């Protein structure tokens, strides 16, 4: 059975403002120093699926840019545009329907477009194992990341060894814990970070939609029936925006029985906010992550990021700051408040400062 | 006797980098929100001397810009260019010689070009009194600022009441004190801040040069003899750069007897570094001085300055910072390290980053 890559690229990346902008969210930025995150992701998936079998699901408004950025690697008609953001259940259902209707069935390897993975060989290894398991078992497979610290920013997957040593059984998906609980999880060894990466057959996940999310399934069928017909674009444009907004985790994963998990230990980071850049790039002897044209004096544990090498960041006597400079905005933020950068986007929406978003 | 204003505009203003640049030091910036500091100063002096009698002494390299900035107010031939910076004794001696040789004698009201004065009426009042005293007594007069806090950043003038209640007698000029000493000074009521503002006859100060700084006096005479002749420019160009570098305070004020002092209590600030902007502008309810297009969240006691209103400063969860943005540099500095901003200028001189200076 053929393997398809599905890259979910619909996010806003507001915790990376002002680098991440409405017109060019985080997944379209080069934060790794190699390529845009979406292209890094496509290149990573190309060891698991052929590049001609990789899809990207993104906002309709970013579709043209995505086609442009992936040109020469991915097929333009595999860049699927969502007329509205309806969360991950809709996104995955749409891709599953596309595969079923236009390419018969296949294994979907579904990954977010904006994660960083240090050990790509191990990622390939784990994913290829997941593909085989999904193919033979017909079950839902997810990748749980082996926790390295008591992180309160991720959801966790409680899991247990199974009789088949090729995979573990998922007992429960749990919400982001407080620090104490996260420490317990870490010590117990029974919990993995929920990475949002999934492997299953298109036909399998559509069966789960039919059973657990029948209203969404009905919309997907409507869209699926229009696929390949003249009315495809119009039906998607009308139907997609009214699909209920729910994540695949809430809608299916937490409610499905018999979900399998493979443990991933490949230097994963979801690059959720600026402080993640420390993990991506490493820091210098003063604890600074310097991705800018910067001159620093008596400055420690800061993250410096500049999008324009001709502009200088000068820091003196400061600690634990994020300083990010674009051509029109400079952000100065306490590193412990990295999660709250999205507040700027929330507060400036609809104001005179909207042009900075 | 005629009164002449002399504005000393030769400083580099390196503690205001990156606003203050080699090509446009602090005194040529509009930091007050009204006009450039040099024009603010000229306008302030115009209540004491006619605008046609005000001189500016500045670097030769800034002379054309100064002529341009003061056009319509000051006379172009009253903008004197120094071929090299030789400290305040040379600057004041040059202006005194210019007045003696070209305009007979006169009272010189000498002020730095980069100070801020809140109560201009009181400034005018004090200066006009100083002019009269200099005229009738033929002595050196300086303005001591009534201290408002135990400042360790200024030199002090120890002074005492005289029999003539129009002025006080200077007992001693003292160096910048430590905090304990500054507190003693404040409590004693016998000390004033040394403002670097002086009032005296051109003929009087030249007599002091002759007696206390005979080597400098010899150079001044050489320059004076060339004034009004064809060789004036050439003699200045050759002679000025070899005048010994010494301040008027070290060279004359601390060594002269019978110096008089008038107390100034007119909201003076020498705008020595970024933290002075708090005094110039006042702060908002969160202690922030906001002279930028800024969006701040949970930010306290910061100084925000932007030279370009189309560029945004976004600050989150930070305290006691100076954030200054120009088109090519952003400075982020602990407010308690404001004095050290000049380190950037020192460290980047002669490097690839010289273009930012």
């Amino acid at each position: 059975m053929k393997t398809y890559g599905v890259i979910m690229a619909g996010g806003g990346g507001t915790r990376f403002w002002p680098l991440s902008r409405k017109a060019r969210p985080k997944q379209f930025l080069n934060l790794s120093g190699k390529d845009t995150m979406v292209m890094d992701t496509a290149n990573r998936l190309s060891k698991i699926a052929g590049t001609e079998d990789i899809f990207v699901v993104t906002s309709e408004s970013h579709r043209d840019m995505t086609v442009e950025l992936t040109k020469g690697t991915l097929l333009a008609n595999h860049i699927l545009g969502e007329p509205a953001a309806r969360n991950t259940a809709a996104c995955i259902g749409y891709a599953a329907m596309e595969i079923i209707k236009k390419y018969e069935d296949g294994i979907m390897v579904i990954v977010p477009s904006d994660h960083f993975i240090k050990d790509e060989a191990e990622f390939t290894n784990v994913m290829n194992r997941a593909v085989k398991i999904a193919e033979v078992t017909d079950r839902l497979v997810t990748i749980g990341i082996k926790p390295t610290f008591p992180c309160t920013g991720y959801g966790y997957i409680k899991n247990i060894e199974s009789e088949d040593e090729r995979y573990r059984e998922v007992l429960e998906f749990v919400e982001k814990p407080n620090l104490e609980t996260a420490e317990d999880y870490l010590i117990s060894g029974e919990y993995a970070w929920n990475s949002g990466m999934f492997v299953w057959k298109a036909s399998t996940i559509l069966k789960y939609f039919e059973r657990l999310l029948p209203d969404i399934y009905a919309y997907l069928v409507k869209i699926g029936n229009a696929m390949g017909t003249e009315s495809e674009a119009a039906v998607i444009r009308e139907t997609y925006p009214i699909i209920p907004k729910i994540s695949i985790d809430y809608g299916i994963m937490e409610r499905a029985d018999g979900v399998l998990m493979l443990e991933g230990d490949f230097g994963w980071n979801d690059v959720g906010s600026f402080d993640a850049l420390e993990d991506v790039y490493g820091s210098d002897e003063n604890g600074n992550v310097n991705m800018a044209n910067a001159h620093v004096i008596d400055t420690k544990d800061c993250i410096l990021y500049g999008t324009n090498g001709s502009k200088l960041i000068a820091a003196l006597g400061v600690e634990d700051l994020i300083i990010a400079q674009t051509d029109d905005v400079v952000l100065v933020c306490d590193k412990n408040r990295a999660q709250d950068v999205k507040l700027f986007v929330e507060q400036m929406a609809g104001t005179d400062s909207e042009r900075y978003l």
Side-chain angles (χ1 to χ4, degrees), chain A:
Chain A
M1 186 174 261
K2 209 169 193 180
T3 301
Y4 293 93
V6 176
I7 300 173
M8 297 184 287
T14 56
R15 283 176 297 182
F16 267 92
W17 180 87
L19 309 186
S20 179
R21 306 294 275 254
K22 260 188 176 172
R24 197 181 181 95
K26 175 188 153 201
Q27 58 271 28
F28 304 113
L29 301 177
N30 178 342
L31 286 179
S32 69
K34 287 188 291 184
D35 202 336
T36 58
M37 299 195 87
V38 72
M39 269 304 293
D40 278 349
T41 306
N43 287 327
R44 204 182 293 134
L45 277 188
S46 70
K47 310 279 164 47
I48 297 138
T51 51
E52 71 286 3
D53 298 318
I54 295 174
F55 293 81
V56 179
V57 189
T58 188
S59 160
E60 181 60 40
S61 63
H62 299 128
R63 193 182 168 277
D64 288 350
M65 178 173 63
T66 310
V67 168
E68 192 58 37
L69 290 173
T70 59
K71 205 155 82 176
T73 304
L74 305 187
L75 300 175
N77 67 347
H78 283 191
I79 311 303
L80 310 181
E82 298 175 287
R86 307 308 290 173
N87 213 328
T88 49
C91 163
I92 289 169
Y94 177 19
M97 197 55 87
E98 178 86 4
I99 289 165
I100 282 281
K101 289 287 173 177
K102 297 189 181 167
Y103 308 91
E104 301 182 4
D105 202 1
I107 312 289
M108 302 170 76
V109 175
I110 303 161
V111 296
S113 57
D114 56 352
H115 290 181
F116 174 74
I117 282 158
K118 218 170 271 176
D119 185 348
E120 303 218 341
E122 178 60 13
F123 171 82
T124 304
N125 176 25
V126 171
M127 284 306 194
N128 279 328
R129 282 167 44 215
V131 166
K132 273 183 205 144
I133 291 162
E135 183 160 12
V136 299
T137 64
D138 221 3
R139 280 160 79 177
L140 303 182
V141 182
T142 186
I143 312 300
I145 304 294
K146 194 182 161 85
T148 53
F149 68 98
C151 182
T152 58
Y154 302 138
Y156 283 71
I157 304 170
K158 186 172 187 183
N159 62 91
I160 192 166
E161 281 185 4
S162 70
E163 288 174 15
D164 188 331
E165 62 182 12
R166 292 176 303 171
Y167 52 78
R168 299 174 70 87
E169 301 273 354
V170 170
L171 294 179
E172 195 186 358
F173 282 80
V174 294
E175 298 285 315
K176 295 176 185 178
N178 62 28
L179 185 60
E180 201 184 346
T181 308
E183 284 165 347
D184 290 345
Y185 288 175
L186 186 64
I187 292 163
S188 75
E190 294 174 342
Y191 291 81
W193 290 337
N194 182 357
S195 69
M197 295 190 275
F198 311 105
V199 182
W200 47 54
K201 284 181 201 158
S203 55
T204 305
I205 192 66
L206 286 173
K207 270 181 239 154
Y208 278 93
F209 270 99
E210 186 173 12
R211 177 143 42 97
L212 298 175
L213 298 171
D215 46 351
I216 294 185
Y217 184 69
Y219 290 118
L220 292 176
V221 167
K222 195 172 172 194
I223 289 171
N225 287 339
M227 281 176 174
T229 74
E230 276 183 3
S231 63
E232 175 173 356
V235 170
I236 290 172
R237 205 162 46 239
E238 283 159 25
T239 309
Y240 207 91
I242 53 177
I243 298 180
K245 273 183 170 179
I246 189 166
S247 72
I248 195 81
D249 301 79
Y250 278 113
I252 293 183
M253 302 310 287
E254 297 182 8
R255 300 158 63 202
D257 289 324
V259 178
L260 305 182
M261 190 195 95
L262 268 67
E263 193 176 69
D265 187 11
F266 37 63
W268 173 85
N269 190 309
D270 78 337
V271 197
S273 53
F274 273 105
D275 48 344
L277 296 182
E278 200 162 328
D279 198 31
V280 175
Y281 296 114
S283 53
D284 66 18
E285 68 277 15
N286 295 312
N288 296 314
V289 179
N290 186 350
M291 298 307 296
N293 172 13
H295 188 107
V296 304
I297 301 173
D298 298 338
T299 288
K300 288 196 307 186
D301 303 327
C302 287
I303 292 169
L304 309 166
Y305 202 101
T307 59
N308 182 335
S310 72
K311 299 176 69 192
L312 182 76
I313 294 175
L316 169 61
V318 296
E319 269 181 57
D320 285 319
L321 292 182
I322 295 156
I323 306 173
Q325 177 171 245
T326 68
D327 279 333
D328 59 352
V329 180
V330 55
L331 167 75
V332 181
C333 173
D334 179 354
K335 207 159 78 175
N336 299 310
R337 299 289 301 274
Q339 302 290 328
D340 294 331
V341 166
K342 62 178 184 226
L343 293 174
F344 287 109
V345 179
E346 291 169 18
Q347 292 183 9
M348 294 197 286
T351 73
D352 285 351
S353 297
E354 178 108 35
R355 67 186 182 282
Y356 300 114
L357 302 183

